[in-house]
Amino acid sequence: MTEQRHKMAATPARAFLERNALCRHGRPSHRRAGSAEFIAKTDPDLLYVVDRDSAIGESGKAAKQVLDNKLVNGTKAAKGDRIVYLDPFTWYLAPTALSSVEGMVKAVGDSLS
């Protein structure tokens, strides 16, 4: 992709992820868990959450428990009741299945209305 086309394809969300979601090698990583401090610092209007551990049967605190803290509860997303917990099967285990894609579109659409 040429530099010009790359700039045109970039979105604010993509630019945000490229700036803030870097793995230890400096490359973007969409699978990096965000800390409460990171969420509070970025203060999102809307927060999508996939509980990866529950999707793969890991024990431990559920995402809702982890995010129920002073830092996250102080964000615009929490204050506006705009933390959206996405279905882990759809978003993590079977994201390319046609029924999953339909579910993803519906979940995002419902969260924006």
Side-chain angles (χ1 to χ4, degrees):
M1 183 182 286
T2 66
E3 183 66 27
Q4 180 64 21
R5 286 181 60 204
H6 178 71
K7 286 180 182 179
M8 291 172 56
T11 64
R14 180 181 176 135
F16 172 82
L17 289 173
E18 288 175 351
R19 281 193 318 270
N20 297 294
L22 298 178
C23 68
R24 64 184 171 167
H25 302 294
R27 292 185 295 264
S29 172
H30 66 285
R31 295 185 180 184
R32 180 177 155 227
S35 67
E37 291 81 6
F38 174 77
I39 295 169
K41 180 181 175 186
T42 57
D43 195 16
D45 294 323
L46 174 63
L47 183 61
Y48 292 105
V49 179
V50 176
D51 190 341
R52 177 192 168 275
D53 288 349
S54 72
I56 61 172
E58 290 286 324
S59 61
K61 288 185 176 180
K64 283 187 181 183
Q65 289 177 293
V66 172
L67 294 176
D68 186 17
N69 62 65
K70 185 178 179 179
L71 291 172
V72 175
N73 290 335
T75 64
K76 290 180 265 190
K79 290 177 183 176
D81 196 27
R82 308 238 334 142
I83 298 178
V84 179
Y85 293 90
L86 301 168
D87 176 57
F89 179 81
T90 300
W91 288 82
Y92 188 76
L93 294 178
T96 59
L98 183 56
S99 60
S100 292
V101 173
E102 290 172 352
M104 290 173 172
V105 170
K106 181 173 178 1
V108 172
D110 290 349
S111 74
L112 299 174
S113 58

